[in-house]
């Protein structure tokens, strides 16, 4: 199982990434160790906003790529309502392959 996630940073920016373990990955971002993304080293991740689960790394990467293309406003709307994934990305990926992670 893979996850595509969005983190909120201290400066209110959003970081998007993929992982197989959401709790571990958030901890890595917060602790700023060797596995921390360059972006979160300087932007200070504070919380996991939303995540989707899918079968494999290829699917997770496809969603990550498309999410990174969205505007900040669209990302904020998606965080408030995960059902908007289909609205924003239906013509780009198979949205039915992704389920919101609990």
């Amino acid at each position: 199982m893979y996850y595509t996630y969005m983190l909120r940073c201290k400066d209110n920016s959003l970081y998007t990434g993929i992982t197989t373990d959401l709790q571990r990955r958030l901890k890595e971002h917060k602790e700023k160790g060797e596995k921390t993304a360059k972006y979160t080293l300087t932007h200070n991740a504070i919380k996991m906003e939303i995540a989707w689960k899918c079968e494999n790394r290829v699917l997770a990467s496809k969603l990550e790529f498309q999410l990174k293309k969205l505007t900040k406003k669209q990302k904020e709307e998606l965080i408030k309502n995960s059902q908007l994934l289909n609205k924003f990305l239906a013509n780009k990926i198979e949205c039915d392959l992704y389920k919101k992670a609990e």
Side-chain angles (χ1 to χ4, degrees), residues 2-13:
Y2 274 82
Y3 300 91
T4 305
Y5 62 90
M6 279 197 257
L7 295 178
R8 173 86 51 198
C9 295
K10 191 174 182 179
D11 64 355
N12 203 36
S13 63

Side-chain angles (χ1 to χ4, degrees), residues 34-84:
E34 64 182 51
K35 292 189 176 185
T36 302
K38 284 182 184 180
Y39 188 86
T40 56
L41 273 174
T42 58
H43 290 80
N44 302 313
I46 54 174
K47 70 176 181 174
M48 186 75 61
E49 284 287 5
I50 193 167
W52 293 269
K53 59 185 174 180
C54 60
E55 285 183 23
N56 58 55
R57 184 182 180 99
V58 171
L59 289 174
S61 294
K62 285 181 181 181
L63 179 57
E64 176 190 29
F65 180 77
Q66 294 301 327
L67 290 173
K68 287 182 174 185
K69 291 173 146 186
L70 296 178
T71 65
K72 175 90 170 5
K73 182 180 177 184
Q74 289 172 318
K75 291 175 188 177
E76 294 289 359
E77 289 178 37
L78 196 51
I79 288 167
K80 290 178 185 170
N81 181 358
S82 65
Q83 299 301 316
L84 293 175

